[in-house]
Amino acid sequence: MRGDEHAGSVTGFLLAVAAFFVAMVGTTLPTPLYPLFEQRYSFGPLLVTVIFAIYAFGVIAGLILFGNLSDRIGRKSPLVLGLVLSAASAVLFLFAGSLAPVYVGRVVSGLSAGIFTGTATAYVIDLAPEGRRRLASFVALFANLGGLGAGTLLAGLLGQWAPDPLRTPFAVDLGIVVVATAGLLLAPETVQRREFTFRMQRLGVPVEVVAVFVRASLAGFAAFAVSGVFSSVAPEFLGVGLHRHSPALAGLLVFVLFLMSVAGQALVVRLPNALAAGCGLLVGVVALLAVSLAAESLAALFASAAVGGLGQGVVVSAGLAAIAERAPAERRGETASSFFVVLYFGLSIPVIAAGVAIHYTSLRSAGIGFCAGTGVLALGVLASLLGSRAST
């Protein structure tokens, strides 16, 4: 590789990483602002969970509709579409005068994330300098989860101190999306364009992978359920349960979760039985979360966010690695896509169930019930993993 080609690939790599990071920032901007939306539009926690959960359905739709598109038309075109959708979501929030644009904005944001999750990861790895693909995988992971965490922190800080807290974060996001799009257009294409044929991402699980897939996806479902509750209900608990009406504090809480998720994925290679260790961490996080709800403890809430992020990172990385190791090469893509679809259902269905429970009982009762259910699921997977290992 000539020096000028190497420099070009490094520049393209950095531009791709920046676009990935910016796209994910936009998906979590509303998180610390949900209590402000409640005040503006006069609704309760149930609608908060619905607004949050429809994002996950948008991600699932994006994965299925656009998951394998970049292999046929190139990486850049789908990613530019993803950034256009991210900008459209920001515009909808920026000019929202009712809940309808908020709902549409969340779905559009989910579609953007669904496009970026697989395609941007592949693009970053494609553009990695020679011999640095393993590092590129981690950088792509950091861009993904780091962007998610940065979005909550940015919106929390602007929601706390900027004028017009329900619009300023989205105006800032729109500006950085425009800059990221311009940068992405300068990056090189890495896949030769073929004749366009639309084909949805196939979902399926080969018979030889079913046992591993069930354990990994159930653990991932529990991990994403914890992440979903933190991202939707935790700001409400800070205000109602702890009397801390602070978007900045809510943004910091979820930022800690995603930051520790990056750490958890980096930790996987050092754990001999990573998926079981991740399930153990999930049991710990729901115990801490239950304590924080029962005792109204801010320290326990932040501790549960840290442990929850660590557990999520370990479970997702270990689960995906276990599935990829056992799946036939020709069906690895559809198996991984099926895994992520289950995970994003975990981000939506338990959150809506928690919202319904809050509506009919109380925040504390619903939260403790959620902790019990998630803890039982994580313990069940842990027992299955340990039993399978013992028999082997």
Side-chain angles (χ1 to χ4, degrees), residues 103-375:
Y103 284 126
V104 177
R106 289 302 284 159
V107 173
V108 171
S109 181
L111 286 170
S112 172
I115 292 171
F116 262 86
T117 298
T119 302
T121 299
Y123 190 42
V124 168
I125 294 171
D126 288 348
L127 288 168
E130 190 174 1
R132 297 295 183 90
R133 289 203 163 194
R134 183 181 294 274
L135 175 63
S137 296
F138 183 76
V139 171
L141 165 67
F142 178 81
N144 188 339
L145 297 175
L148 292 172
T152 67
L153 190 60
L154 173 66
L157 294 173
L158 293 175
Q160 183 81 36
W161 289 292
D164 202 348
L166 289 182
R167 287 186 166 79
T168 303
F170 301 99
V172 171
D173 180 55
L174 185 59
I176 60 175
V177 167
V178 170
V179 174
T181 305
L184 182 63
L185 291 173
L186 297 176
E189 179 57 79
T190 59
V191 173
Q192 185 176 0
R193 185 184 181 94
R194 292 181 283 169
E195 183 179 351
F196 174 74
T197 54
F198 179 75
R199 186 172 69 247
M200 291 193 296
Q201 174 65 58
R202 181 180 174 183
L203 301 178
V205 181
V207 174
E208 59 267 40
V209 192
V210 168
V212 173
F213 181 89
V214 168
R215 295 188 187 103
S217 59
L218 286 177
F221 184 96
F224 267 53
V226 169
S227 176
V229 165
F230 266 99
S231 300
S232 59
V233 181
E236 180 83 10
F237 176 60
L238 278 171
V240 175
L242 299 177
H243 311 293
R244 303 290 186 99
H245 301 280
S246 169
L249 191 62
L252 179 62
L253 177 69
V254 184
F255 173 77
V256 167
L257 176 84
F258 286 115
L259 186 66
M260 293 304 291
S261 187
V262 176
Q265 299 212 25
L267 184 65
V268 163
V269 293
R270 300 179 181 274
L271 298 174
N273 193 356
L275 191 56
C279 289
L281 287 168
L282 292 180
V283 174
V285 66
V286 294
L288 282 168
L289 184 55
V291 168
S292 73
L293 290 164
E296 297 185 351
S297 168
L298 182 63
L301 185 63
F302 268 89
S304 64
V307 177
L310 202 63
Q312 182 195 48
V314 170
V315 162
V316 173
S317 184
L320 187 61
I323 290 168
E325 182 182 341
R326 290 164 177 80
E330 67 276 9
R331 298 192 63 185
R332 199 166 287 153
E334 67 178 275
T335 309
S337 296
S338 302
F339 177 66
F340 279 108
V341 167
V342 173
L343 264 54
Y344 276 100
F345 274 121
L347 197 67
S348 54
I349 295 172
V351 170
I352 294 175
V356 172
I358 292 170
H359 182 74
Y360 287 106
T361 57
S362 68
L363 181 60
R364 181 184 295 178
S365 299
I368 292 174
F370 166 82
C371 291
T374 307

Side-chain angles (χ1 to χ4, degrees), residues 16-39:
V17 170
F20 197 178
F21 185 89
V22 167
M24 303 317 288
V25 163
T27 65
T28 53
L29 283 178
T31 293
L33 307 176
Y34 285 133
L36 301 180
F37 280 108
E38 285 186 72
Q39 296 172 16

